[in-house]
Amino acid sequence: MKLQVLALTSITLFSLGCSQMIWKETNLQQELSPSSSDTAIAVEVHYKEKQSWNPLNGTTDKKDYTTKLNLIRGNASLRTWEIPSWVLADSVFYHPESGLLVLLHGKNDEYGTLAQRLSVYPDKEASFSYPASPENLVIFQASPSPNGKQIALITALSDQNWEFSEFELRLLDPKTKAVVSLPISFWTALPLYGMKWAKDGSALYLRTPDRILVVKDGKLGEANSFPECFHPSTSYGKGAFEASFVESQNPWKLKIGAKIPEPKTINSLDKIQNCL
């Protein structure tokens, strides 16, 4: 009798172990990237996961990321996009006046890494991705202008060890696909670095540890006055609003937070605020 119980227990444990090794469909909780008080992109990341063979890893294996983007206005879904990779809600921007969708998305299954590409979806024209080449171009940050006429990119070239060189600010025109490249000395993910568009999109400010640079009319120079905050980088997207949530679907019900106020203009590095 004891042998039968042990055998059944072993079979049960084996069955449970096998079931944990099966790839299962799952998804992350939806996040919002608002563009106004009643318009937002709902971002839902789907993937497959299973328990790791090695329990010491303390995690699951994940693969086959895809993302569904829903354009919501009021309680209605106006349009959807299917992205064959992972997308972070912080890197999704929808410009309601022009119907332009801009996003950074992954190149592979390494969720949330710098292995990503920019994709642009104009309202009535064919979508395109950037860069077409080289493959080792890394995009640290992307930010479309408030008027929707330019997309600012901080880029660098990377080697196999993820060491970076040739840092640049690139300004992409989503209509013509023309790119203006402006060399910068260095960039990193530290809070001391950031970019911020002027409210009307006429200027772009870059914050470095020792000075503030500004781009106006395609020329890069040192700024005498600049915003006191470099977050959010533009006037729409997840960072431009307080916490926002998807409360329900069918019909959609969104809870969009208050708009983050525009920062003051200052002329001293010591007065810059950490607004993250």
Side-chain angles (χ1 to χ4, degrees):
M1 185 67 177
K2 289 183 179 179
L3 290 175
Q4 289 179 332
V5 171
L6 288 173
L8 288 172
T9 302
S10 299
I11 292 172
T12 302
L13 290 174
F14 177 77
S15 299
L16 288 172
C18 288
S19 67
Q20 291 178 337
M21 298 301 172
I22 297 174
W23 288 103
K24 296 181 179 180
E25 299 279 352
T26 187
N27 59 271
L28 299 178
Q29 184 176 353
Q30 284 185 335
E31 292 189 76
L32 284 184
S33 173
S35 55
S36 67
S37 60
D38 68 341
T39 302
I41 297 286
V43 182
E44 186 172 333
V45 180
H46 296 257
Y47 57 95
K48 295 178 182 178
E49 73 172 352
K50 69 176 181 179
Q51 294 293 330
S52 173
W53 280 98
N54 182 0
L56 296 178
N57 288 345
T59 184
T60 57
D61 294 325
K62 300 176 178 63
K63 69 174 185 177
D64 298 345
Y65 283 89
T66 61
T67 304
K68 185 175 182 179
L69 304 179
N70 264 293
L71 171 61
I72 313 297
R73 180 171 291 127
N75 62 359
S77 176
L78 304 183
R79 186 176 177 182
T80 62
W81 295 265
E82 299 281 348
I83 312 300
S85 188
W86 52 267
V87 181
L88 299 180
D90 307 75
S91 300
V92 176
F93 302 91
Y94 179 74
H95 190 257
E97 291 80 12
S98 63
L100 179 73
L101 174 67
V102 176
L103 57 97
L104 282 178
H105 60 83
K107 294 180 182 178
N108 52 40
D109 277 353
E110 297 175 5
Y111 181 76
T113 69
L114 284 174
Q116 55 190 353
R117 176 174 279 115
L118 180 82
S119 282
V120 181
Y121 296 83
D123 186 23
K124 298 179 181 179
E125 300 175 19
S127 63
F128 65 94
S129 293
Y130 184 85
S133 63
E135 282 295 322
N136 63 336
L137 185 72
V138 171
I139 301 176
F140 285 96
Q141 188 178 355
S143 179
S145 62
N147 55 23
K149 294 181 178 181
Q150 291 181 304
I151 303 168
L153 305 169
I154 301 295
T155 69
L157 296 181
S158 67
D159 60 20
Q160 294 180 345
N161 297 319
W162 284 98
E163 294 183 353
F164 306 113
S165 62
E166 299 185 35
F167 298 91
E168 289 185 321
L169 166 66
R170 302 188 180 205
L171 297 172
L172 168 64
D173 185 325
K175 285 190 175 181
T176 66
K177 301 182 185 178
V179 178
V180 175
S181 297
L182 302 169
I184 55 178
S185 59
F186 186 69
W187 194 265
T188 180
L190 292 175
L192 286 177
Y193 293 77
M195 59 178 171
K196 175 72 173 178
W197 282 101
K199 184 178 180 180
D200 61 358
S202 62
L204 176 67
Y205 299 89
L206 297 183
R207 181 189 178 191
T208 69
D210 58 350
R211 59 179 180 159
I212 307 296
L213 303 175
V214 61
V215 180
K216 285 186 177 181
D217 301 322
K219 297 181 180 180
L220 181 65
E222 190 164 352
N224 295 319
S225 59
F226 37 83
E228 68 173 349
C229 290
F230 281 72
H231 180 84
S233 61
T234 192
S235 59
Y236 53 103
K238 182 180 178 182
F241 290 77
E242 294 179 0
S244 303
F245 307 95
V246 177
E247 294 190 327
S248 70
Q249 294 179 226
N250 301 321
W252 288 86
K253 186 177 180 182
L254 310 181
K255 177 65 175 179
I256 298 178
K259 187 76 178 288
I260 302 296
E262 288 292 323
K264 299 177 182 177
T265 298
I266 58 175
N267 53 20
S268 171
L269 282 170
D270 295 336
K271 295 181 180 179
I272 290 181
Q273 303 294 315
N274 185 0
C275 302
L276 291 175

